[in-house]
Amino acid sequence: MAATTNADPENSELRTPSNFLREIIAEDVSSRKFGDAQIQTRFPPEPNGYLHIGHAKAIFLDFGLADEFGGRTNLRFDDTNPEKEEQEYVDSIQRDVRWLGYDWERLCYASDYFPQLYEWALQLIKNGKAYVDDLSADEIRRYRGTLTEPGKDSPYRNRSVEENLDLFVRMKKGEFPDGSRVLRARIDMVSPNLNLRDPVMYRILHATHHRTGDEWCIYPMYDYAHGQSDSIERVTHSMCTLEFADHQPLYRWYIEQLGIFPSQQIEFDRLNLTYTLLSKRKLLQLVQEGRVRGWDDPRMPTLSGIRRRGFTPEAIRAFVASAGVSRTNGIVDIEMLEHFQRDDLNRRASRAMAVLRPLKLVIDNYPEGQQEFVEVANNPEDPSAGTRQVPFSRELYIEQDDFREVPPPKYYRLSPGREVRLRNAYFVTAQSVAKDAAGNVIEVHCTYDAASRGGNSPDGRKVKSTMHWVSAGHAILAEIRLYDKLFNKISPGDAPEGGSFLDNLNPNSLEVITDAKLEPSLGSAKLEDRYQFERVGYFSLDPDSTAEKLIFNRTLALKDSWAKIEKKAEAYGNS
RNA sequence: UGGGCGAUCGUUCAAUGGUAGGACAGUGCCCUUUGGAGGCACUUAUCCAGGUUCGAAUCCUGGUCGCCCAGCCA
């Protein structure tokens, strides 16, 4: 299996109308640019952090496009910098790619190509295309020139092939300390493209690599490793993000000098989301400083974070497909992601009743000690999901928000004298309230209409509101974690004057409710189950959950038009 | 400021010289045993100035604005 996307053109769900990447590939296929070679792509993360929603776009494109053209995709770890890379990240990346719904043809590592890359470096030296430079990092930077000034040649640029060979071999043997020498490509110190001003190919790094251990003490740079790795894997279309566009001439230069398979690089725009930070470095900082609980904190934009939050791969794929691809740098509204997630969950999530902030509701004319079961649809969107029995009794919990002693305009829920429907159960009319010493309503007393069982009155009486409820005597207790945006600024990476991006953190991004009341069926919830707590939002079990203590995460709240009305009223001066 | 890339509704992606369209967001109405979902409708865009053409978002010229590049990171 290559990928679980849509090889079938009939299945248009994930098809965007058209995009420039698909057109390039289609053109290359019809012109037989690569002869009989199949379309080959690769997803090439560096294992130096966890994958995030931005990577989902690259994954979707790399795997999805290859699949569309009957091609294959490799997962390749770009592990050329041992100082930042770890096995933990290698593992998490594989887990996340699979979770998104993709499987790779081959699992590759740039480090597997170290011997070949080394041989090729020797070849370039012999051809006079590479040299060992003794300049310090600082000197190299100064010799490179600037954006507007040309660079100048290193005094070591014209060493003999023999001397370069000798020095490079000894670099590999470990005869020199870190930073003392580098191998550079001999290209053009006055090129307007800085990447072509004799770029470094190898640096000395006496560091232990997570896969090759201490076998190497010289490591190839990204530019020297990436194109050749593509070429080795016979990658036809090497898609990467826009910031690498300036590297393309160098990518081609190495391949041409070596005369190897002509992989081609194509750049597309990165995914940016409002209120979302997608910088690996800054996400790492949040984790290291304990600003979040870890890489999989449900507020994190990492795939492991949003997975824990309850997001689904189907929704993420649909979102990424719909957001499209281009070469502009824009920022997609986070609400678009949320829309696709709600849309997916609305179709699939089992409905349940849960009261987050309980208020006791007592039905005075319901016989004490009596209980009954009402039949409830598991998913009104999907009759095949069946029904379940939910216990009902004299004492219930309703949501605090669902009762107002003095109802504001347009408030349809329960208030003294008003009749509403308890979902799937009965009509009730509020009669009186009980208050604590501070004057807070702690109990609402009501009467019910026994003839309205199931939720309809035989006389055709209408009510304006339907509310969820949980039988007090049957309720199970749970902790609920409510999440809000991690940052309260559209572009969280933009630091305020004299501050840092941490100043943009939303102090209220996590709210924990410890005494939510759930209907009994929720007691058997499993990690992979998705629920809609009716009228509240989408929820799923958190891995912290135990048999003794249920913990649910709110994936997303339901759209709330009453909240909108309330907010508007407030804006108009509480009229 | 040298080089590269780009510019279409508020946002995002289409339209490949021939009716500027979809999605998200927003607004209004309808419907509803979730103030959810659904349905209908509405609002809003081709960066600017010239040119080519019967016809330009698209091609040409010149501007303007934005992003990226001066790691022995990727």
Side-chain angles (χ1 to χ4, degrees):
Chain A
M1 183 181 83
T4 55
T5 50
N6 51 311
D8 180 5
E10 297 300 305
N11 175 2
S12 59
E13 188 191 339
L14 298 179
R15 292 289 298 266
T16 46
S18 88
N19 71 56
F20 76 102
L21 295 174
R22 176 150 49 221
E23 282 172 25
I24 289 171
I25 298 175
E27 207 173 298
D28 291 346
V29 167
S30 69
S31 72
R32 296 181 52 79
K33 183 167 184 174
F34 295 93
D36 292 327
Q38 68 172 3
I39 295 302
Q40 180 73 237
T41 63
R42 101 271 90 116
F43 173 61
E46 183 189 15
N48 68 340
Y50 278 63
L51 257 26
H52 55 62
I53 181 79
H55 293 107
K57 173 173 179 171
I59 293 169
F60 173 80
L61 259 13
D62 288 332
F63 283 89
L65 251 14
D67 193 43
E68 251 181 65
F69 289 93
R72 296 285 181 268
T73 305
N74 294 337
L75 172 60
R76 182 173 73 235
F77 289 101
D78 229 331
D79 54 350
T80 56
N81 184 0
E83 292 182 325
K84 290 187 175 174
E85 298 154 7
E86 290 174 31
Q87 186 62 38
E88 177 196 351
Y89 299 133
V90 171
D91 296 337
S92 74
I93 288 168
Q94 294 185 54
R95 196 159 54 233
D96 290 344
V97 171
R98 285 214 175 88
W99 174 74
L100 254 196
Y102 299 97
D103 199 2
W104 42 89
E105 180 186 34
R106 280 188 289 154
L107 181 62
C108 307
Y109 295 83
S111 54
D112 285 344
Y113 310 137
F114 284 172
Q116 174 67 266
L117 258 11
Y118 177 74
E119 289 304 316
W120 279 334
L122 258 14
Q123 185 183 325
L124 289 175
I125 293 172
K126 287 173 191 160
N127 293 344
K129 299 295 183 184
Y131 63 98
V132 172
D133 197 340
D134 298 356
L135 252 29
S136 68
D138 198 49
E139 289 166 322
I140 286 182
R141 178 163 41 77
R142 286 203 302 270
Y143 273 74
R144 184 158 32 228
T146 68
L147 293 178
T148 52
E149 301 163 282
K152 57 181 190 219
D153 290 359
S154 162
Y156 303 98
R157 196 172 199 262
N158 292 314
R159 286 218 251 232
S160 68
V161 168
E162 291 68 30
E163 190 183 3
N164 281 322
L165 240 22
D166 172 65
L167 253 16
F168 185 54
V169 168
R170 288 165 61 197
M171 274 170 64
K172 182 192 181 259
K173 281 184 182 163
E175 292 186 21
F176 309 119
D178 288 4
S180 58
R181 286 176 229 267
V182 291
L183 182 71
R184 301 178 72 176
R186 200 161 181 274
I187 308 179
D188 179 7
M189 286 307 292
V190 301
S191 170
N193 183 342
L194 292 276
N195 295 114
L196 261 19
R197 320 245 263 229
D198 290 10
V200 171
M201 294 166 59
Y202 274 95
R203 75 281 213 186
I204 302 173
L205 235 41
H206 290 269
T208 303
H209 186 277
H210 65 98
R211 290 191 79 241
T212 59
D214 297 321
E215 192 182 336
W216 295 85
C217 64
I218 55 171
Y219 289 92
M221 298 287 289
Y222 164 85
D223 284 307
Y224 181 64
H226 200 93
Q228 284 76 274
S229 300
D230 284 342
S231 186
I232 290 168
E233 294 170 23
R234 304 188 82 76
V235 167
T236 54
H237 300 266
S238 178
M239 293 171 278
C240 63
T241 44
L242 247 23
E243 67 270 25
F244 291 101
D246 287 341
H247 296 242
Q248 199 186 127
L250 181 54
Y251 180 102
R252 286 202 301 257
W253 189 86
Y254 285 126
I255 285 177
E256 279 163 20
Q257 292 301 320
L258 263 9
I260 55 181
F261 184 85
S263 299
Q264 63 177 326
Q265 174 179 310
I266 309 167
E267 309 87 14
F268 63 87
D269 63 330
R270 226 174 231 285
L271 173 68
N272 290 302
L273 282 176
T274 57
Y275 300 101
T276 308
L277 193 65
L278 294 179
S279 145
K280 267 194 197 175
R281 206 200 95 239
K282 287 175 181 151
L283 293 177
L284 177 65
Q285 189 180 341
L286 293 177
V287 173
Q288 286 178 336
E289 293 181 5
R291 311 270 177 173
V292 294
R293 294 185 184 194
W295 285 103
D296 69 342
D297 186 299
R299 292 166 294 180
M300 289 282 273
T302 52
L303 294 180
S304 50
I306 60 184
R307 171 170 65 231
R308 183 168 180 177
R309 170 89 168 249
F311 277 68
T312 59
E314 291 83 358
I316 292 168
R317 277 189 253 127
F319 160 69
V320 166
S322 171
V325 59
S326 71
R327 287 175 70 92
T328 60
N329 4 59
I331 180 161
V332 177
D333 198 329
I334 186 76
E335 293 198 65
M336 185 154 160
L337 203 213
E338 296 178 349
H339 162 80
F340 279 94
Q341 188 55 73
R342 285 195 184 96
D343 189 51
D344 179 49
L345 256 13
N346 177 51
R347 279 190 294 251
R348 316 159 40 183
S350 308
R351 309 296 133 121
M353 291 196 285
V355 174
L356 266 39
R357 297 177 175 87
L359 174 63
K360 183 70 78 63
L361 179 72
V362 181
I363 308 170
D364 291 330
N365 61 339
Y366 191 92
E368 222 151 332
Q370 179 173 315
Q371 68 166 43
E372 63 185 295
F373 288 85
V374 297
E375 184 172 47
V376 176
N378 287 328
N379 185 350
E381 302 285 317
D382 175 17
S384 73
T387 61
R388 67 186 186 287
Q389 301 292 321
V390 180
F392 183 89
S393 65
R394 185 172 191 266
E395 296 201 356
L396 311 167
Y397 289 113
I398 61 170
E399 212 70 64
Q400 286 173 18
D401 279 352
D402 285 344
F403 177 82
R404 291 286 184 88
E405 198 172 10
V406 182
K410 290 186 183 162
Y411 183 86
Y412 302 144
R413 281 113 96 146
L414 199 61
S415 58
R418 183 177 290 166
E419 184 171 50
V420 300
R421 171 167 38 233
L422 293 178
R423 182 140 161 95
N424 296 297
Y426 294 99
F427 282 9
V428 293
T429 305
Q431 304 296 351
S432 63
V433 299
K435 295 182 179 179
D436 62 12
N440 301 309
V441 175
I442 53 166
E443 214 171 84
V444 176
H445 286 259
C446 67
T447 52
Y448 86 119
D449 175 3
S452 64
R453 188 171 201 279
N456 276 312
S457 167
D459 64 11
R461 210 156 77 237
K462 300 279 185 219
V463 290
K464 290 195 96 167
S465 180
T466 299
M467 301 173 4
H468 62 284
W469 50 271
V470 171
S471 169
H474 302 85
I476 56 179
L477 200 65
E479 174 176 317
I480 307 279
R481 297 176 181 169
L482 303 177
Y483 302 101
D484 197 358
K485 296 174 168 65
L486 224 204
F487 293 96
N488 49 31
K489 202 171 167 187
I490 288 183
S491 299
D494 297 347
E497 274 292 313
S500 91
F501 76 97
L502 296 171
D503 299 328
N504 299 328
L505 242 11
N506 173 9
N508 306 313
S509 59
L510 170 64
E511 181 186 358
V512 179
I513 291 176
T514 54
D515 58 348
K517 309 288 188 180
L518 275 43
E519 70 165 72
S521 74
L522 254 7
S524 58
K526 291 183 288 296
L527 231 39
E528 62 275 17
D529 291 336
R530 295 288 178 281
Y531 292 97
Q532 183 199 99
F533 291 176
E534 287 197 87
R535 301 208 308 133
V536 179
Y538 295 101
F539 293 79
S540 67
L541 215 54
D542 187 90
D544 284 350
S545 213
T546 63
E548 295 73 41
K549 187 183 182 190
L550 288 179
I551 303 174
F552 281 90
N553 290 322
R554 183 175 70 189
T555 308
L556 249 19
L558 245 34
K559 284 196 166 181
D560 188 349
S561 53
W562 164 242
K564 224 175 248 182
I565 293 169
E566 237 184 345
K567 206 172 163 185
K568 206 181 282 180
E570 222 167 276
Y572 282 107
N574 241 334
S575 56

